[in-house]
Amino acid sequence: MGQRGLWSRRSGGEKQMKKYCRKLRFREIAIFFVTLFFMMLPGMPAKAGEAPFAFHMLDVGQGQSVLVEADGHYMLIDGGGRSSSSFVVSYLQQQGVEKLDYIVASHYDEDHISGIVGALHVFECETILAPDYYADTEIYASYLTAAEASGAEIIYPQQGETYALGDAVITVVGPASYENTLENDRSVAVRITYGITSYLICGDAQAQEEEDILNSGLELASDVYVVNHHGSAESSGLYFLNQIQPIYALISCSADNAYGHPSAETMQRLDNEGVSLYRTDRQGTVTAYSDGTGLWFDQEPCDDFSSRQVDGQGAVNSDISGQNESGQNELGQQEASDSGNRGTTYVCNLNTKKFHYTYCDSVNKMKESNKKFTDESRESLIAQGYDPCKNCNP
């Protein structure tokens, strides 16, 4: 079994000790000493498998999927993309899952819901929590068909509602509205508490939803934080992190993704916050365990705060500072060059009349029949009635 997380923080070297002291708070002190106390008792779980609560962040590449287990009850939050669907089903079977109390579809991006479709074909599910909006994609249509055929109750949860999973309490902290402009900002966001431990996962929430969550007045402080939107620059704002006060941060992304996840800006904010960092692209599947009083992981944190920056031509920069070897800011260079036409290939959505860079997240959500690839100039597309995407800003 991996060492208990808070115990291991004291044995992680000088850098970890400095981080620990910098973030010392009553909540962390309480968990640390309660964990230490119970480690000395005969009844303390000797193996990870004996812990009544587990939070598994599955390695689904460029996507996200989390399995929550509490007292023999199970919740699947997202299921990763198509390429990981069979892995998600197999992993759940290995954990002894026969029935899911809940499935949470945070939002309807392919890299979050494809695996849910596979799970619905294999496992009985009582309740599906999902956002109340329509997506014009083939994978959404497949999801909706599978969800309706499963017999599960489909609920569009509202901010502030609570649900029980064994002795765990699931609180819906977002979104405040399913009418937010960006679909990412309509993500179903939940905070899970088990005993005195807490976990926050908000799908692909970005700035708008983060602000709405902060304004909700709900308790947000969480020991474990699944970093929003795979660590994109538009998420995990400074004030949001300050309110969460995470001890551990978990990022789900692939090592070769074309989206620049995680971004230098977000990694810098996480590093400044003093978190212990886990990443699926560096460590594979990561699992946290708890007995309600202590919290520990199956492995040590990687604490790798390097970023992945991708320009419009697919070039990669992995320097956390966002600078290249000459000291110039590559993000700034990209923004400057994007103001004019670079001969870039764009993807037009024939349905919404918007155009995007090829690496934009929105491209994955389009039906193939609605896609049009073009090397026409930005000005030409606008003249034809197309609007530039507000996410990638082509």
Side-chain angles (χ1 to χ4, degrees), residues 299-317:
Q299 56 189 293
E300 295 297 323
C302 67
D303 286 338
D304 180 351
F305 291 90
S306 64
S307 63
R308 180 177 177 82
Q309 297 295 345
V310 180
D311 65 20
Q313 304 298 327
V316 175
N317 165 46

Side-chain angles (χ1 to χ4, degrees), residues 132-152:
D132 188 11
Y133 72 90
Y134 170 82
D136 182 24
T137 62
E138 293 178 1
I139 188 58
Y140 173 76
S142 297
Y143 153 77
L144 197 58
T145 298
E148 291 174 347
S150 71

Side-chain angles (χ1 to χ4, degrees), residues 236-247:
S236 300
L238 180 61
Y239 188 49
F240 189 72
L241 290 176
N242 287 343
Q243 294 302 304
I244 298 171
Q245 299 183 321
I247 300 171

Side-chain angles (χ1 to χ4, degrees), residues 75 104 129 155-163 169-176 178 187-192 200-201 209 213 216 218-220:
M75 167 185 280
V104 178
L129 303 179
I155 296 176
Y156 304 117
Q158 300 301 308
Q159 191 175 51
E161 290 182 353
T162 60
Y163 300 85
V169 177
I170 316 297
T171 302
V172 178
V173 297
Y178 291 119
S187 295
V188 174
V190 298
R191 180 176 181 265
I192 304 165
L200 183 68
I201 177 168
E209 184 169 0
I213 291 173
S216 70
L218 296 168
E219 177 63 42
L220 299 177

